[in-house]
Amino acid sequence: MKKINKQLIVSDFDGTLISSSQTISDEVRDAIEEYVSCGGIFAVCTGRMLCSILPRVRELGLKGLVVAYQGTVIAEIESGKIIKINSIKYQDVAEICTYISSLNQTVNTYSGEVLYTDIPRDNIYLKRYEKITGVEAVSVDILMAEFVINNRLDCQKITCLVAPSEREKLYRNLKQKFGERFDVTCSADVLVEMSPLGDNKGEALNYIAKYYNIPMQSTVAIGDNLNDLSMIKNANIGVAVGNAVEELKIEADCVTVSNNEGAVAKIIKKYGFV
């Protein structure tokens, strides 16, 4: 049995652990299985809803904790029991939705295990999002802000699905407007996301390390987008995959191959064992 080097490896899911075809290669599966069997802790930290990520990590045979909604929700994989959860209060959600609407953008709100949307059903980005996550959105036929107020809808996350050419401008607008009160980030070329301030992947990494009594000096984090930046910075070794955005590569301690080339397997082999 190999001797473990870094005790905790935390990976983003989409764009990092899985390939562009939404599959997990045998190389990655085998590397994770070997690392865990030798005593390492491997965890997934994603912006996905809990109901979306649980089947995928169970498919990998993982046990322990999984992080959903960027860090707003942390749950036990085997039981699905939520051990940490936070939300944006419905009054604030309504304020955010009103502002997004004023920019002529549509919005998704996430409450518990339900995704609500005011995006037209034939929108190509919504269709792709539903297919990838395995979650069907519930359409809202009134103003989202009004719907949120009427239903007192506290939310774990708020997102905008936009064309890649529009993402940067919307991200900057939301960051300037709400960045001091909420966490504003991006997780894909079509997604701008908002969650409770402080509930980010960096804090989730801290939580997992403390949960397993692992010193931060023995942690590795792997990601591909801006929502991974906080955990890349917090980890002892922060890794950007080859397909990561430039902002993440600049902050990372190292850059590895792309998600389509078994990036997670390469990092486990490089840092997971002595």
Side-chain angles (χ1 to χ4, degrees), residues 16 42 45 79 83 103 107 115 132 134 138 172 175 194-195 207 215 264 272:
T16 303
F42 184 88
C45 187
S79 67
I83 62 173
L103 300 176
V107 62
L115 160 60
I132 289 173
V138 175
R172 296 301 172 192
K175 188 79 171 176
M194 297 181 64
S195 54
Y207 186 100
V264 169

Side-chain angles (χ1 to χ4, degrees), residues 62 84-86 103 118 164 183 190 196 203 236 250:
L62 293 178
K84 175 190 177 293
I85 186 169
N86 199 3
L103 300 176
D118 63 9
D183 190 74
V190 297
E203 288 306 311
N236 179 245
I250 291 170

Side-chain angles (χ1 to χ4, degrees), residues 61-103:
L62 293 178
K63 295 176 171 43
L65 302 184
V66 64
V67 179
Y69 284 126
Q70 314 287 22
T72 305
V73 172
I74 300 178
E76 296 175 349
I77 294 173
E78 292 177 282
S79 67
K81 178 184 176 183
I82 294 174
I83 62 173
K84 175 190 177 293
I85 186 169
N86 199 3
S87 61
I88 302 174
K89 298 306 178 185
Y90 73 92
Q91 299 94 331
D92 293 326
V93 176
E95 179 190 353
I96 294 167
C97 292
T98 298
Y99 179 72
I100 292 172
S101 295
S102 76
L103 300 176

Side-chain angles (χ1 to χ4, degrees), residues 146-166:
E146 184 180 344
F147 179 82
V148 166
I149 290 292
N150 291 347
N151 293 276
R152 295 177 175 265
L153 204 68
D154 293 346
C155 293
Q156 278 69 56
K157 189 172 75 167
I158 301 165
T159 69
C160 294
L161 272 168
V162 297
S165 60
E166 299 176 8

